[in-house]
Amino acid sequence: MAYRETEMMRERKAQARQRIIECAWESVTTGGFRSARITQIASMAGVATGSIYRHFESREELFAEMFRLATQHEVDRVAQALTGPETAAQQLENALRLFAERALRAPTRAWALIAEPVDPKLDEERLVYRRAFARLFEGAIRDGVLDGSLPEQNARLASTSLVGAIAESLIGPLAQASPEPCEAADLKPNELVDAIMQFCMQGLTGTRSQP
Amino acid sequence: MAYRETEMMRERKAQARQRIIECAWESVTTGGFRSARITQIASMAGVATGSIYRHFESREELFAEMFRLATQHEVDRVAQALTGPETAAQQLENALRLFAERALRAPTRAWALIAEPVDPKLDEERLVYRRAFARLFEGAIRDGVLDGSLPEQNARLASTSLVGAIAESLIGPLAQASPEPCEAADLKPNELVDAIMQFCMQGLTGTRSQP
DNA sequence: GAAAGGAGTGAATCACGATTCATTTGTTGT
DNA sequence: ACAACAAATGAATCGTGATTCACTCCTTTC
């Protein structure tokens, strides 16, 4: 017999796979799932169209995998903000702010992650993404209730509402085109974030901040 | 010469047009824009495929028109709730609750109206829809600030956040399949609505309700 | 260096649905 | 009843883009 997959080959394939995912992500970040073409991704990655299918079952599968990775990255970022010496409420505010700012900085990406619908497989992944965030925020809210920085409440629902309020505030205005982001409510980006945060924190604490 | 469009014919055409829109709406309500096929809509309406194009420039155009009508209907419903003898804050709560309940009762329709992306023409219409709601809620918030039932705040942004919080809370969990709606946060539908409303009203008033 | 596979290629195929258009079926006025 | 025209039809066409596959190119092993 001859040819047994060697370490070098495994490595090389893994790299190609990685490259494909990265290009897919770039394509999605630029124009959303809708306009991401397999053909174009292939040529970006410097491989033939058919080669994509050596690495992924289908277009769906490629996007699902890509989504999984991007999502994990984003969740990790936000999770980081949920550690530190501050009160849980303060940590949560930081995390929410980070979430909002990141979304605002890359609207097309945010849209793709949060809302753009593609196909059932992707929706499934998105659900996981949502749950990951929900769980994150939910935990922080529970902590806040324990350390007294937040009042008693339904943590699960509050966390969902938070994500929703932020996403809508950012994405609603930003969904269409990315060229001239943000003019929602006639505010500058950071003012927008501030205002969103005020609403969210009031919703959580039931206490007026900065009257 | 002969044949000049008569009243009866005009009527008949208008009816067909109406029927087509209704069937399109039913189709969208059932499976979302994505799965609404012109062919199927035609057969539902009892006309030939080609006849659709006697009434509408294109698929896009049909959906846009349909969307416009559905939207108007929905907005009118909610606007109704914003009249009455109660404080503006109370009216707003009623309106929000109505919005949430209606969405909860027909998740696929709500999804189609609020979030499902289709094409640029539709997105434009959706923007109008969002603005209509925003304006509605915004006005109510302004009134609330005036009559003292709500504290000073950025009405525009608060209204956006409200729509977002509600939409996410409802649609996030309900987006996928309509068969078994609602088990979000392990709550029954009306409990879900109650919890959302609490969050929203706290966000608006900065006051803890039902501690 | 030659056999034995695996990996890569990309033009051809296929699927799917919107749209068209030659033809048929009314409708109207005389 | 007939001319003149509009409306309706739906099978055929077209466009788009994912997916395939017969073939070539590389690696590995002996």
Side-chain angles (χ1 to χ4, degrees), chain A residues 6-24:
Chain A
T6 185
E7 190 47 49
M8 171 208 182
M9 268 295 111
R10 203 187 331 279
E11 174 76 16
R12 201 189 282 183
K13 278 203 283 178
Q15 275 185 329
R17 187 189 164 89
Q18 188 55 32
R19 200 144 25 87
I20 291 169
I21 290 182
E22 276 159 16
C23 292

Side-chain angles (χ1 to χ4, degrees), chain A residues 126-143:
Chain A
R126 207 195 307 278
L127 200 60
V128 174
Y129 171 68
R130 285 208 153 103
R131 286 222 184 97
F133 269 113
R135 219 171 288 137
L136 229 48
F137 293 151
E138 196 187 329
I141 294 172
R142 290 236 160 78
D143 291 349

Side-chain angles (χ1 to χ4, degrees), chain A residues 71-84 91-92 94-96 98-99 102 132-133 135-137 140 143:
Chain A
T71 275
Q72 192 54 55
H73 178 73
E74 209 67 14
V75 169
D76 288 350
R77 284 302 202 104
V78 171
Q80 256 178 24
L82 287 176
T83 49
Q91 284 176 20
L92 182 56
N94 296 341
L96 292 173
L98 181 64
F99 176 65
R102 286 183 61 80
F133 269 113
R135 219 171 288 137
L136 229 48
F137 293 151
D143 291 349

Side-chain angles (χ1 to χ4, degrees), chain A residues 165-180:
Chain A
I166 295 174
E168 174 77 11
S169 300
L170 297 174
I171 283 176
L174 300 183
Q176 43 275 21
S178 33
E180 275 312 320

Side-chain angles (χ1 to χ4, degrees), chain A residues 34 117-118 130 168 202-203 206, chain B residues 34 117-118 130 168 202-203 206:
Chain A
R34 199 195 311 216
V118 197
R130 285 208 153 103
E168 174 77 11
Q202 279 185 198
Chain B
R34 199 195 312 215
V118 196
R130 284 211 153 101
E168 174 77 11
Q202 280 185 196

